[in-house]
Structure formats: structure tokens, C-alpha cells
Amino acid sequence: MLEKATGKPSGEVKVLATAQRLLKRPGAVKAARGLSHFGEHSIGWFAAGLVGAAVDRRHRKDWLVAAAGVVGAHAASIAVKRVVRRPRPDHESVEVLVGTPSRLSFPSSHATSTTAAAVLYSGLTGRNLVPALVPPMLASRLVLGVHYPTDVLAGAALGGVVGGLLRRRLARRPESKN
């Protein structure tokens, strides 16, 4: 196992350490851990899509496609992680406050699936869910010390692209029209 980096933080480590220092409060850590567990492997967002399908029978097929799209966005982030292979933050100035399924950091899969869910489910609910869902998840990854800022930004961008493409496709489907 590699030793934790020491010394004065610089670059993204400095930004991450500063964000964590400013945001890390007991309530914020508790909320961030809750978001982490909810978003793990996109399971919470997938479940939300299944609830949407159960409640909105008229658009059931679209909810199911959107829920699958969220899982697909998550899978895309895993594929990118395996190609890029960027290790997670590991510096004495950053405290890791939650376990992770891998040591790979870029992009944040939580940011990817959350943004995809927010974009897709916004189209199905008629409400812009992005401002309410995305920033808290992105901040939570920094609070927990498991991602660099560019990891969460890249994850959000990837989720936005996947969600946007699928949302556009759903909007064109004849059975999606009211």
C-alpha cells in the first residue's frame, strides 16, 4: 500500500482540502454519507425511477427507460474510470469520511448518475430538478474527501450528456406525447 502524501497541499488537493475544511460540519457529513449510500451504484436513482413508473402509469415506459438510462450513465462512468485510472485523493490534508467501492476517482460515478437522473426525471416531472439534486451530491463528494473537484465536474458533465441525449430521444417518442 502506498503511503499517504504529506506536505503542503497544492492544486486540486489544496482546493479539496479547503472545501472540506469549510463544509465539514457534523450535519453536512451525515447528509453527505446519506447521499453517498443513496447514490452508490446509482441504486437510489434507479429506485426513484421505478417509483415514478409505478405512480405515473401513463408514462411508465418512459420512466423505465429513464431509470435504465441512469444505470447506463453510471456504467459509462465506470468505463471511463477504468480507462483513466486516476487514484482517489490521498493526502494528509484530506480526511476520507466514507468507504468507496474502488480506488479510482475520475469521474465521480455519484455525480454522473445524479446528474443523469436529474436531467431525465426533470423531463418526466416537468420540473427542473437539476439545481436541487446535483449541487448537494457534488458537494457531498468533496465533504467526504473521496473526489477531486474535477472528478465531480467531469461526472456531472458526463451525466448531463447521457441524460440530455436520452431525454431528447424520449421527447421524440410518439407514446411520450401527452
Side-chain angles (χ1 to χ4, degrees):
M1 185 167 179
L2 298 173
E3 286 188 36
K4 189 174 279 286
T6 59
K8 189 173 181 173
S10 62
E12 279 200 274
V13 173
K14 184 176 182 178
V15 173
L16 174 57
T18 301
Q20 193 177 48
R21 187 177 67 252
L22 294 172
L23 299 172
K24 190 177 80 174
R25 303 289 178 265
V29 171
K30 184 176 182 179
R33 284 184 177 142
L35 286 170
S36 185
H37 295 305
F38 180 84
E40 194 66 47
H41 305 296
S42 70
I43 196 78
W45 299 121
F46 181 72
L50 296 181
V51 169
V55 172
D56 184 3
R57 292 180 181 192
R58 185 173 177 199
H59 300 104
R60 176 174 285 152
K61 193 179 271 187
D62 290 345
W63 277 102
L64 294 173
V65 169
V70 170
V71 174
H74 174 80
S77 73
I78 298 300
V80 173
K81 274 184 199 270
R82 291 188 177 171
V83 170
V84 174
R85 305 199 62 75
R86 182 185 197 184
R88 291 192 186 270
D90 189 22
H91 190 274
E92 66 181 355
S93 66
V94 176
E95 186 179 1
V96 176
L97 301 171
V98 71
T100 59
S102 84
R103 295 180 192 190
L104 302 178
S105 188
F106 182 94
S108 165
S109 295
H110 282 76
T112 303
S113 62
T114 298
T115 306
V119 169
L120 287 163
Y121 300 163
S122 289
L124 292 168
T125 63
R127 300 178 190 275
N128 184 4
L129 302 173
V130 174
L133 301 179
V134 176
M137 184 61 84
L138 272 56
S140 77
R141 309 315 288 159
L142 302 179
V143 167
L144 296 173
V146 294
H147 283 289
Y148 295 103
T150 53
D151 298 340
V152 297
L153 294 174
L158 178 59
V161 168
V162 172
L165 290 172
L166 188 53
R167 179 175 168 178
R168 195 173 310 138
R169 197 159 191 201
L170 283 172
R172 285 193 293 242
R173 288 170 32 132
E175 58 270 19
S176 297
K177 306 290 185 215
N178 289 337

